[in-house]
Amino acid sequence: MEALTIRYAGQADSDACVLCGKSILAAAGPQLFHETTGRIVCRSCGTRQAPHLAALLDLAKVSERAGRVCRHTLIPPMNTLLELARAAEDYNAKATTHLPSPVA
Ligand SMILES: [Zn+2]
């Protein structure tokens, strides 16, 4: 299993995934990177190698979108809340199965 990390990309960029070579057009914002080489990793490789980090990245992106939608509304739209809840549940499920348990 490859060591991946989440980093904030200050600007959009295109590169090839360091693991599979697939071309990626990455938007500015949080992205998955290979820890050793510092190069970008595509979503499918990220989901396969570090599902909990990919789910956390999804949660961050959904949260960012929800923040934009809800900024000027008193009551957030139901579909936005459901999308946020689904991303949080997905992260929780993957984090509990893929992270090492704490040492007692
Ligand atoms: Zn890849």
Side-chain angles (χ1 to χ4, degrees):
M1 185 168 274
E2 300 285 342
L4 304 182
T5 187
I6 295 175
R7 291 189 192 157
Y8 188 86
Q11 59 187 15
D13 195 12
S14 64
D15 199 356
C17 172
V18 69
L19 298 178
C20 71
K22 185 174 101 180
S23 182
I24 305 169
L25 181 59
Q31 303 290 339
L32 282 176
F33 287 88
H34 191 263
E35 198 169 285
T36 309
T37 64
R39 293 189 53 210
I40 197 160
V41 174
C42 75
R43 177 169 168 63
S44 61
C45 287
T47 301
R48 198 170 36 255
Q49 296 292 325
H52 59 292
L53 289 182
L56 183 57
L57 204 55
D58 289 344
L59 179 58
K61 290 177 179 177
V62 170
S63 299
E64 184 180 20
R65 191 168 45 249
R68 273 195 315 270
V69 168
C70 300
R71 180 171 292 160
H72 302 292
T73 59
L74 185 59
I75 301 171
M78 183 58 81
N79 63 336
T80 301
L81 294 176
L82 290 173
E83 187 181 18
L84 194 55
R86 220 175 356 260
E89 286 175 12
D90 186 46
Y91 169 70
N92 185 47
K94 289 176 179 162
T96 53
T97 57
H98 293 283
L99 289 178
S101 55
V103 177

